[in-house]
């Protein structure tokens, strides 16, 4: 069966450190993968998109990698800040581009 | 509009009643998605539209759920004979065009509570 797995346990890190979140998928062949941030009581907000032919994508303090052999994406936040505390969701397409499926998310807590 | 608008933001209903949830996507966005998020859970895909057409309805949890989109714009998700397990936040998202990689813009959701 198809699965998108993210670490269900909350990730607690110290301010200033690099946070690394993992997204593993099974039985998908996505053309692209996205990462979103969700704050409590709010809808998800898009952060980054990486295509299958891209190994790495960066945006300010964010970096995403995409390994189609391992079927894994890593999401890094460098120099983390308390304001980065949120739930982070990975999403990938299936059925062509048409259906976008989300993982369960990982809650990140950055401790001052 | 400036963003995706959903209404109502909160809805409390009694078991067995019908509810309608509305989504107004960003102007010009042809693709529209509905997701459901139960407390502390991830996003469960329900249905997507390209224009007014819904090619894949397999995510709808039961035949009590239906959705339509008119004029390539506003979409309505209807839940008939609501059950307590329907309680969740229903999120709508739109994107510029189905079939192209692009970000989804989400509304703030409609929180449904079935008593």
């Amino acid at each position: 069966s198809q699965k998108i797995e993210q670490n269900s346990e909350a990730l607690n890190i110290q301010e200033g450190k690099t946070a690394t979140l993992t997204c593993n998928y099974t039985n998908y062949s996505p053309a692209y993968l996205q990462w979103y941030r969700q704050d409590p009581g709010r809808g998800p907000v898009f952060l980054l998109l990486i295509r299958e032919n891209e190994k790495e994508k960066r945006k300010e303090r964010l970096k995403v990698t995409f390994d189609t052999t391992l079927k894994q994406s890593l999401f890094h936040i460098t120099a983390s800040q308390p304001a980065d505390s949120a739930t982070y969701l990975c999403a990938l397409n299936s059925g062509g581009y048409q259906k976008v499926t989300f993982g369960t998310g990982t809650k990140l807590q950055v401790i001052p | 509009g400036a963003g995706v608008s959903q209404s109502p933001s909160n809805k409390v209903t009694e078991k067995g009643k019908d509810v309608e949830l509305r989504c107004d996507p960003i102007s010009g966005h042809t693709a529209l998605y509905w997701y459901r998020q139960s407390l502390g859970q991830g996003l469960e895909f329900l249905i997507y539209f390209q224009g007014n057409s819904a090619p894949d309805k397999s995510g709808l949890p039961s035949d009590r759920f239906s959705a339509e989109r008119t004029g390539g714009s506003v979409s309505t998700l209807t839940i008939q004979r609501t059950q307590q397990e329907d309680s969740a936040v229903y999120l709508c998202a739109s994107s510029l065009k189905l079939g192209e990689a692009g970000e989804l813009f989400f509304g703030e959701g409609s929180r449904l509570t079935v008593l």
Side-chain angles (χ1 to χ4, degrees):
Chain A
S1 63
Q2 293 180 316
K3 288 183 187 177
I4 305 171
E5 294 179 305
Q6 296 184 252
N7 193 338
S8 58
E9 293 183 11
L11 178 64
N12 296 318
I13 65 164
Q14 209 67 35
E15 181 177 5
K17 300 291 187 184
T18 296
T20 298
L21 285 67
T22 305
C23 176
N24 294 298
Y25 58 92
T26 309
N27 291 327
Y28 283 98
S29 297
Y32 62 89
L33 188 146
Q34 303 182 47
W35 283 87
Y36 288 77
R37 169 184 173 140
Q38 186 174 27
D39 291 287
R42 309 297 298 274
V45 174
F46 172 81
L47 295 174
L48 280 168
L49 179 151
I50 186 166
R51 298 176 187 272
E52 60 178 337
N53 60 349
E54 297 175 316
K55 296 294 185 188
E56 182 179 298
K57 191 73 97 47
R58 291 176 184 261
K59 179 182 176 183
E60 297 173 350
R61 294 184 296 111
L62 309 180
K63 184 178 86 171
V64 171
T65 62
F66 192 10
D67 188 325
T68 55
T69 301
L70 290 178
K71 297 187 182 299
Q72 180 181 79
S73 175
L74 298 178
F75 176 78
H76 306 272
I77 305 175
T78 58
S80 59
Q81 306 166 359
D84 295 327
S85 298
T87 295
Y88 291 87
L89 302 158
C90 71
L92 49 82
N93 70 302
S94 59
Y97 288 107
Q98 297 180 352
K99 181 174 174 179
V100 181
T101 306
F102 284 78
T104 52
T106 298
K107 186 174 181 179
L108 173 67
Q109 186 77 30
V110 180
I111 302 164
Chain B
V4 177
S5 179
Q6 291 189 246
S7 61
S9 54
N10 276 289
K11 176 71 176 180
V12 180
T13 191
E14 293 180 349
K15 178 182 171 181
K17 300 281 189 183
D18 297 352
V19 296
E20 281 191 355
L21 307 177
R22 175 187 167 108
C23 174
D24 201 342
I26 293 172
S27 178
H29 280 194
T30 59
L32 186 146
Y33 299 78
W34 283 99
Y35 293 87
R36 178 169 73 173
Q37 189 170 34
S38 300
L39 189 63
Q41 302 297 309
L43 274 66
E44 176 189 3
F45 173 83
L46 298 179
I47 191 170
Y48 70 84
F49 288 88
Q50 173 60 27
N52 294 333
S53 173
D56 183 358
K57 299 180 181 179
S58 62
L60 295 176
S62 74
D63 58 9
R64 296 185 295 104
F65 287 72
S66 62
E68 65 174 14
R69 189 179 185 194
T70 55
S73 181
V74 172
S75 176
T76 302
L77 178 68
T78 301
I79 309 172
Q80 294 179 310
R81 304 181 302 282
T82 52
Q83 304 292 313
Q84 288 181 334
E85 62 260 29
D86 300 334
S87 296
V89 176
Y90 290 81
L91 290 159
C92 174
S94 69
S95 68
L96 193 56
K97 186 177 178 181
L98 200 63
E100 293 181 358
E103 65 180 283
L104 270 59
F105 294 82
F106 281 86
E108 299 293 2
S110 291
R111 180 177 298 277
L112 174 66
T113 303
V114 182
L115 301 176

